[in-house]
Amino acid sequence: MRFRGNRQFASAVGLVLGLLCAVEAAKVNKHKPWIETTYHGIVTENDDKVILDPPLIALDKDAPLRYAESFEVTLTEEGEICGFRIHGQNVPFEAVVLDKSTGEGVIRAKEKLDCELQKEHTFTIQAYDCGEGPDGANMKKSHKATVHIQVNDINEYSPVFKEKTYKATVIEGKKYDNILKVEAVDADCSFQFSQICSYEIVTPDVPFTIDKDGFIKNTEKLSYGKEHMYKLTVTAYDCGKNRASEDVLVKISIKPTCRPSWQGFNKRTEYEPGTGSLALFPSMHLETCDVPITSIRASIELETNHIGKGCDRDTYSEKSLHKLCGASSGTVELLPAPSSSANWTVGLPTDNGHDSDQVFEFNGTQAIKVPDGLVNTNLKEPFTISVWMRHGPGSHEKETILCNSDKTDMNRHHYSLYVHNCRLILLLRQDPSEAENYKPAEFHWKLDQVCDKEWHHYVLNVEFPTVSLFVDGTAFEPFMVTEDYPLHPSKIETQLTVGACWQENSGHDNDTEAGPETTSGGNARMAQFFRGNLAGLIIRSGKLENKKVIDCLYTCKEGLDVQLPEEVASAVKVDFNPNQSSLTVEGDDIGAFDKVMQHISYLNSRQFPTPGIRHLRISTTVKCLNEDACVAVPDAEGYVMVLQPEEPKISLSGIDHFARSAAEFESQEGVTLFPELRIVSTITREMEADAESEAAEGTDDDPTVQETVVSEEIMHNLDSCEVSVVGDELDGEHESLEVDVSQLQQRALEMSSSNLGLVITGVNTMANYEQVLHLIRYKNWHTEALFDRKFKLVCSELNGRYISNDFKVEVNVIHTSNPVEHANNAMVQPNFINPVHHASVDLSGHNLVNAHQASVVPSAATIVIVVCVSFLVFMIILGVFRIRAAHQRSMRDQESGKENEMDWDDSALTITVNPMETYEDQHSSEEEEEEEEESEDGEEEDDITSAESESSEDEEGGEPEDQQGTSRQQQLEWDDSTLTY
């Protein structure tokens, strides 16, 4: 388009000249061609086209004229451009005219250009017109213009390494910033394609890296024992992403060196529960590289903070732990595990993530009220408060752990334990009976443990006016004691709370200001909420805890142990921390020191320890003659892996269904609920098959018989058994569950009861729990409305970590007729505690028919008929029973003494019989006469299936046959409910 414009411009110039001169132009070559003075061009190597800026165009004033008359253009040779001429030596370019009339031309490469040989070319160029006349004489040439042409590169070459192989040697145990440098070059001419942009180690998984400049360094300390030499393959890339034509091999040799360290240390040590003590470093020794030393000190730390409350401890209830540690009676647990008898902690969030450590969480909104009468603390007597606490950073508000305050009106705090600004504070106000003078009222301890977010055990021994505090077994004295007057006399009852303080909205708080976080509860509220975790909160009245009990409560069940060999006992000193989670070893003899380290072991005395990792760390300091640390021994780190223990399966078994007479329920002794209870605990192990037996049986090729599962009975303690009522709660007016308290006391067990059942607690053997449970009796002195009662027994170990099966027992009541009672109650229905509508009951299984269905008084004729018919039916049933008895004896031998509950098909008969009592309870002759009279009276009849009769016969066992027949005859009654009169 530019050339066309030039042509139009030349035509216009000719036309204007023609019009101005008004004559025909003379054919004379007056003017020289004109071109630019400088041109810049670009050409790509291996291409011939040059791009010029500006384009190559020559202009000449002798260009053709345009006549005004006809607007025709007359071409003249003088105005045309005939060529361009390049000046210079060995210039690989030529200039070509594309259009003579417009003077347009181009520059082209005459041969293949190579940037690597010459990047730039500079030369001059001139334009020539066609001259005068037909032979082109007198042609004129333009001035010389300078042309600069740059040859652009293409990425035709790949990087090449300067060396065929690179080698280096390093010393083990050292990290280098620069081990060696590899270098590659590229033959391309341009900066982009000739530069090496990156290097790469092609060999995978080697502890080395290489940077963009080719420097290689190691990423970790190298060990001669692990690898003597590393062989790396390295490649390079130019900035055009061309990879090196050949990769290069780099050899890095590791030179061994002596460095002080613990040798023979195994990072992982597996501990199998129940195996006692396990040596942690059996083959370890210290390498000092022959440096003369004067002393060695090593600290071994076992990290167990993530296990339970800081380590593996027994997870029995806190009350049981106090007894196991030797504390006497009087201990009251304020944060027990929720149960039917201790339900005030049910609403608290718990953390049972550490094998049933009973940990309660308080987030600043929860608190509990302790039931009235549970704690009777007389401040005149010594008492102890102990608690496990984990508390975070302190706040400016009071956070109450335990508080005893007025229920109404006054808002006085009688005593409380709270945290404030990383201080533990005990408030203890004296009774009004004291003299009106100042006495110690607040005891302050400033402790880092209060706010470090770790578990700590706190014990306060209070013997007014002194208070002793033990934190993790270490005694602390209060840094400040504040005095106050005694409280004013009042008859206001107090409320004991955990996690906050109870105070009235309308009253005045003499001891504290209510914080912003309160919760309304009627006209009262909670204030000063605790934020953190609490466990094992105990108050013990009347006696202080001694140091032995305190240490026992805090001591871990796991820790480090060492048995010093006699020959080195005097040369090495060993010190333990209180919970044996760390120890220090000091000595100056390397040989003796190594022997002591080899005897350090891990011990976990729990029968069922918490599985998981316990990290180990050994920190060592070595001193030389100048008493400085001359040898740097790196810390050795590893861990103990406590394997999963075989979990026990606690099984309860025994008689789960039996019947007793109403008289037994109403007797002074009552009915034994678990007469044949058995408690068995088993674990299941996988045992490898015997190699010799496998070879004999030819089972080597069968993978399915390599292991066998074996169930093994074990003995361990229980800590709780709970008997609960299934169905309606116990009615205290006429029924109860009882157990001999003296037998409990002999076995150091305790019992709590409610209308839901009873709970026996305390750590003791399964055999002792069996004996106590055999003594539990159920009494009911108003059995008219009772036909069966169901109970459930559950036992547990380690505060609920292992729980037995639900053992359920159903007891049926056998109602018998009494003629005296019938006479007295002839015109009225039985008077039950709770009126019950009596309907016919199916006789399947062990359900019993209501004996009081007929409430209408029969006539004399009816009685005679019933007596006669009853006698006849009795004779028929007696014969059938004798036949069945012979068969039943053989069945009893096959069933090994178990109850046979086969139902007898009596569909052809229209009679039912009373359920027979177990033959463990034989009737006296007076009872037999009463039963005959009741049968003749006919007012109260009970039904029983033949299977139940046979079952009762089985229970009798050793009774003579004639007595069996007599007993059956006495217990058979006629069911006249279907007769019409």
Side-chain angles (χ1 to χ4, degrees), residues 924-937:
S924 63
S925 59
E926 292 80 9
E927 290 174 337
E928 293 172 358
E929 292 174 2
E930 288 177 1
E931 290 179 15
E932 290 179 1
E933 292 174 0
E934 291 170 359
S935 179
E936 293 175 358
D937 186 89

Side-chain angles (χ1 to χ4, degrees), residues 197-255:
C197 276
S198 64
Y199 293 89
E200 179 183 339
I201 297 177
V202 179
T203 307
D205 301 327
V206 290
F208 299 94
T209 60
I210 188 170
D211 62 17
K212 63 182 182 64
D213 296 322
F215 289 102
I216 296 177
K217 64 180 181 179
N218 55 325
T219 58
E220 62 184 43
K221 294 181 180 180
L222 305 176
S223 171
Y224 178 81
K226 182 179 179 181
E227 194 74 44
H228 294 356
M229 175 186 288
Y230 289 92
K231 294 182 179 180
L232 315 177
T233 301
V234 178
T235 191
Y237 293 89
D238 64 20
C239 294
K241 297 187 178 180
N242 267 6
R243 180 172 174 169
S245 55
E246 290 185 8
D247 298 338
V248 72
L249 178 64
V250 179
K251 297 180 181 180
I252 300 177
S253 300
I254 312 301
K255 182 180 179 180

